[in-house]
């Protein structure tokens, strides 16, 4: 049997971390089994579905590298097929028209609530055989009354629901459009989905969907319902926890590889291993080992993993992300300034996010006229201009612009001026970077290059002369 999984988002918002984890688990399960991963956009709710959300989902999947083998399929392009199945169910007697009005159903609901019963349709129209056209009518699935639905959820274990707990679900609205529980069943059947991996907010739909599948004579898929993701305060994950669309994580400087690594561990573990290469994830992931209980989203942990990825990934990969962040800052680092690979190597230890790395690398590419106020106050004193002038003279005379030579020269000048190294290196750093923080001074100067270093030293000397005399 070829394993086939699917991710079936409704395009009513961005791709959030919960959805991304569902997509990841479905993707991993397919990849692990040399199967097929399908993307299906469930856009039948015309009022709430938007093209923007579709784009956001596609963009999120692409950024995360969750490539699909089939799709995207759009449910709105499959209405004919849904109508065909609705007709089939009617013809078979597995569906019927229901003429109950909204008011009638409301009264029924109120009565049931008053009697402390679970609100459910009472089957009033179940036996009406003559079709009354022209009336407002929905179509309901004729759920079996006897027996029970049993399925072995790969995460939750055996689930048993008595049919008498399930009422006759509406499969087509008064305007004839099909409802979620029907379209999802038809698609899963037609697309040959073998494993349905989805959030456990759908677990109550599953027995109904199984009954429809049975009525259609379809093979039943396996189900795996994933427990919710909670915020670190135990409440359901929401915007309040900073849990927004996955693209927001890009904005905030997370690497997609790190976010995926974090998400795979949300509800699944392999011993106490925290970092997984993509190959390891695929090899080791086991849907039946997913935790039954909800997992809590922990931003500190995500940040830690992100830093691990920034430090330990192939620098070329980090460059790809840094390039994007530099462009966000109006800097095309591919056409000017130091090679980004060298920037990554110089900055990765100190950068927990790509935002930190990009922000701390702007001065390598862009000149500035203002200094970080604190750093300037602390390091630019009366007389610092003389120290910088000595450095400028020495650097101007230097022909070999290499880290080691530069390092030696700065040491030598500190000795010559009878100053501690920090009293020379720190003003030099502020002069050339505009701030008090940068990689080691030799690395900083060699990345910056001779011309920028000399020009910025001159600029700082002028600045100090003007402000401190
Ligand atoms: N479209 C549904 C949702 O976004 C998912 C349906 C499913 O996975 O079966 O919640």
């Amino acid at each position: 049997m070829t394993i086939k999984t699917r991710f079936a988002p409704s395009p009513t918002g961005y791709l959030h971390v919960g959805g991304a984890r569902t997509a990841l688990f479905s993707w991993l399960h397919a990849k692990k089994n040399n199967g097929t991963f399908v993307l299906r956009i469930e856009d039948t709710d015309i009022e709430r579905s938007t093209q923007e959300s579709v784009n956001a989902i596609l963009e999120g999947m692409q950024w995360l590298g969750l490539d699909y083998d089939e799709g995207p399929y759009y449910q709105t392009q499959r209405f004919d097929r849904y109508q065909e199945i609705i007709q089939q169910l009617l013809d078979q007697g597995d569906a019927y028209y229901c003429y109950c009005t909204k008011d009638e159903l409301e009264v029924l609901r109120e009565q049931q609530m008053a009697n402390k019963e679970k609100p459910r349709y009472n089957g009033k129209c179940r036996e009406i055989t003559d079709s009354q056209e022209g009336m407002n009518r929905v179509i309901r699935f004729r759920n079996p009354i006897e027996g029970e639905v049993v399925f072995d959820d790969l995460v939750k274990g055996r689930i048993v629901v008595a049919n008498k707990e399930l009422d006759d679900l509406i499969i087509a609205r008064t305007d004839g459009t099909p409802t979620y529980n029907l379209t999802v069943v038809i698609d899963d059947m037609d697309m040959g989905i073998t494993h349905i991996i989805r959030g456990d907010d759908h677990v109550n739909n599953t027995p109904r969907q199984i009954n429809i599948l049975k009525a259609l004579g379809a093979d039943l898929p396996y189900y795996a319902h994933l427990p919710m993701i909670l915020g670190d305060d135990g409440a359901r994950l929401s915007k309040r926890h900073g849990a927004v669309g996955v693209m927001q994580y890009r904005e905030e400087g997370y690497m997609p590889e790190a976010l995926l690594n974090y998400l795979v561990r949300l509800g699944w573990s392999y011993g106490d291993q925290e970092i997984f290469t993509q190959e390891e994830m695929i090899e080791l992931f086991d849907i039946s080992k997913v935790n039954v209980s909800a997992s809590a989203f922990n931003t500190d942990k995500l940040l830690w993993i992100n830093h691990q990825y920034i430090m330990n990934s192939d620098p070329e990969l980090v460059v790809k992300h840094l390039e994007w962040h530099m462009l966000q800052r109006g800097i095309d680092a591919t056409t000017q300034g130091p090679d980004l690979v060298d920037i990554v190597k110089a900055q990765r230890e100190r950068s927990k996010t790509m935002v930190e790395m990009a922000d701390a690398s702007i001065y390598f590419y862009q000149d500035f006229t203002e200094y970080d106020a604190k750093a300037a106050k602390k390091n630019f004193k009366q007389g610092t201009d003389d120290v910088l002038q000595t450095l400028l003279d020495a650097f101007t005379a230097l022909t070999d612009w290499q880290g080691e030579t530069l390092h030696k020269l700065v040491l030598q000048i500190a000795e010559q001026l009878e100053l501690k190294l920090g009293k020379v290196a720190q003003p030099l750093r502020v002069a050339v970077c505009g701030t008090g923080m940068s990689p080691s001074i030799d690395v900083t100067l060699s990345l910056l290059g001779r011309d920028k270093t000399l020009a910025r030293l001159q600029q700082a000397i002028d600045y100090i002369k003007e402000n401190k005399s």
Side-chain angles (χ1 to χ4, degrees):
M1 174 179 70
T2 307
I3 302 271
K4 209 163 174 188
T5 63
R6 57 26 166 216
F7 176 50
S10 304
T12 54
Y14 37 66
L15 177 63
H16 53 82
V17 288
R21 186 192 58 167
T22 302
L24 171 63
F25 283 15
S26 302
W27 183 85
L28 284 173
H29 189 67
K31 284 265 179 269
K32 183 186 177 70
N33 295 290
N34 293 320
T36 305
F37 175 57
V38 176
L39 176 63
R40 182 171 78 223
I41 305 290
E42 304 210 320
D43 54 352
T44 51
D45 185 343
I46 313 271
E47 306 240 301
R48 296 178 59 222
S49 300
T50 65
Q51 187 56 43
E52 267 164 37
S53 300
V54 172
N55 296 344
I57 291 165
L58 297 180
E59 189 186 21
M61 301 276 291
Q62 192 185 17
W63 181 66
L64 287 170
L66 297 176
D67 48 336
Y68 31 91
D69 307 297
E70 277 183 31
Y73 294 115
Y74 293 86
Q75 289 194 320
T76 42
Q77 291 172 7
R78 291 179 41 79
F79 276 122
D80 289 348
R81 174 64 178 153
Y82 305 142
Q83 291 311 328
E84 198 176 288
I85 293 287
I86 291 169
Q87 195 54 51
Q88 181 188 332
L89 288 169
L90 283 167
D91 294 346
Q92 287 176 197
D94 284 314
Y96 62 90
Y97 289 105
C98 169
Y99 304 91
C100 295
T101 62
K102 269 207 174 115
D103 291 347
E104 270 178 275
L105 293 174
E106 188 50 35
V107 170
L108 176 67
R109 214 178 85 90
E110 278 167 17
Q111 277 170 358
Q112 288 170 331
M113 301 275 275
N115 295 338
K116 304 228 172 334
E117 288 167 20
K118 205 164 116 187
R120 53 207 293 277
Y121 180 58
N122 61 3
K124 184 175 165 218
C125 298
R126 235 177 123 98
E127 305 310 330
I128 298 177
T129 45
D130 54 331
S131 160
Q132 302 167 30
E133 273 172 53
M135 290 203 27
N136 256 351
R137 56 185 189 177
V138 298
I139 300 172
R140 289 185 185 267
F141 176 67
R142 190 187 301 275
N143 199 76
I145 295 175
E146 306 290 328
E148 51 195 18
V149 183
V150 182
F151 66 100
D152 290 308
D153 191 279
L154 295 173
V155 175
K156 292 177 180 292
R158 175 154 291 201
I159 294 180
V160 181
V161 178
N163 271 321
K164 63 175 185 327
E165 295 291 321
L166 306 170
D167 57 359
D168 291 348
L169 157 95
I170 296 175
I171 55 173
R173 303 181 185 90
T174 47
D175 63 1
T177 56
T179 58
Y180 157 72
N181 276 298
L182 182 73
T183 55
V184 85
V185 160
I186 299 173
D187 288 351
D188 287 336
M189 176 179 77
D190 285 355
M191 294 169 193
I193 305 299
T194 60
H195 290 72
I196 295 182
I197 299 170
R198 61 184 171 196
D200 69 1
D201 46 337
H202 286 290
V203 74
N204 291 336
N205 291 322
T206 304
R208 304 166 187 281
Q209 295 180 6
I210 289 177
N211 280 336
I212 303 177
L213 282 167
K214 281 185 183 159
L216 293 171
D219 291 335
L220 297 184
Y222 292 95
Y223 292 90
H225 287 95
L226 308 174
M228 276 194 308
I229 302 177
L230 305 176
D232 26 24
D233 55 358
R236 200 190 170 117
L237 196 64
S238 70
K239 264 191 188 168
R240 198 159 47 79
H241 301 100
V244 281
V246 293
M247 298 316 287
Q248 181 74 26
Y249 286 93
R250 168 158 75 169
E251 301 280 332
E252 291 176 12
Y254 292 93
M255 285 175 60
E257 296 80 9
L259 183 56
L260 279 186
N261 191 139
Y262 178 70
L263 290 176
V264 82
R265 288 280 291 100
L266 262 186
W268 174 78
S269 57
Y270 183 76
D272 48 18
Q273 186 170 340
E274 294 290 0
I275 305 289
F276 296 86
T277 62
Q278 202 152 88
E279 291 72 33
E280 281 175 316
M281 269 190 218
I282 293 170
E283 192 190 316
L284 301 173
F285 182 74
D286 182 347
I287 190 71
S288 66
K289 297 269 161 58
V290 169
N291 251 336
V292 183
S293 49
S295 23
F297 197 86
N298 180 334
T299 308
D300 290 340
K301 176 87 175 283
L302 171 59
L303 195 58
W304 179 81
I305 291 186
N306 200 46
H307 193 201
Q308 299 302 310
Y309 269 81
I310 289 178
M311 285 192 294
N312 302 322
S313 298
D314 179 351
E316 296 285 355
L317 175 68
V318 185
V319 162
K320 222 180 68 194
H321 302 310
L322 183 57
E323 230 173 77
W324 184 85
H325 283 278
M326 295 308 275
L327 276 176
Q328 296 302 297
R329 286 155 183 75
I331 297 167
D332 180 358
T334 56
T335 54
Q336 44 130 355
D339 196 329
L340 279 175
V341 171
D342 297 323
I343 297 289
V344 167
K345 288 182 184 159
Q347 300 281 36
R348 61 187 166 181
E349 297 288 328
R350 67 183 65 236
S351 311
K352 288 202 174 65
T353 68
M354 298 310 303
V355 165
E356 284 178 13
M357 188 183 280
D359 282 344
S361 303
I362 294 176
Y363 54 76
F364 285 117
Y365 298 90
Q366 221 166 50
D367 292 330
F368 51 86
T369 49
E370 283 175 24
Y371 298 92
D372 174 75
K374 261 198 196 155
K377 186 159 185 250
K378 189 157 171 230
N379 295 289
F380 289 172
K381 306 250 159 74
Q382 215 177 1
T384 311
D385 48 334
D386 294 335
V387 176
L388 296 182
Q389 187 63 55
T390 311
L391 285 164
L392 177 56
D393 294 342
F395 288 156
T396 307
L398 193 67
T399 46
D400 170 32
W401 199 265
Q402 296 293 330
E404 212 178 312
T405 329
L406 290 160
H407 180 69
K408 278 195 194 137
L409 191 56
V410 177
L411 275 176
Q412 196 186 314
I413 288 173
E415 244 172 64
Q416 175 194 323
L417 298 176
E418 293 181 3
L419 289 171
K420 279 195 191 145
L421 180 61
K423 294 276 178 218
V424 177
Q426 201 54 15
L428 167 59
R429 173 174 277 123
V430 179
V432 298
C433 304
T435 101
M437 262 180 325
S438 81
S440 67
I441 199 71
D442 48 329
V443 171
T444 304
L445 295 181
S446 53
L447 283 175
L448 211 48
R450 180 191 165 93
D451 292 349
K452 281 201 177 77
T453 303
L454 300 188
R456 289 181 190 178
L457 273 170
Q458 187 60 57
Q459 173 177 282
I461 292 166
D462 296 344
Y463 173 89
I464 297 169
K465 285 212 169 96
E466 241 169 69
N467 291 280
K468 300 285 171 188
S469 51

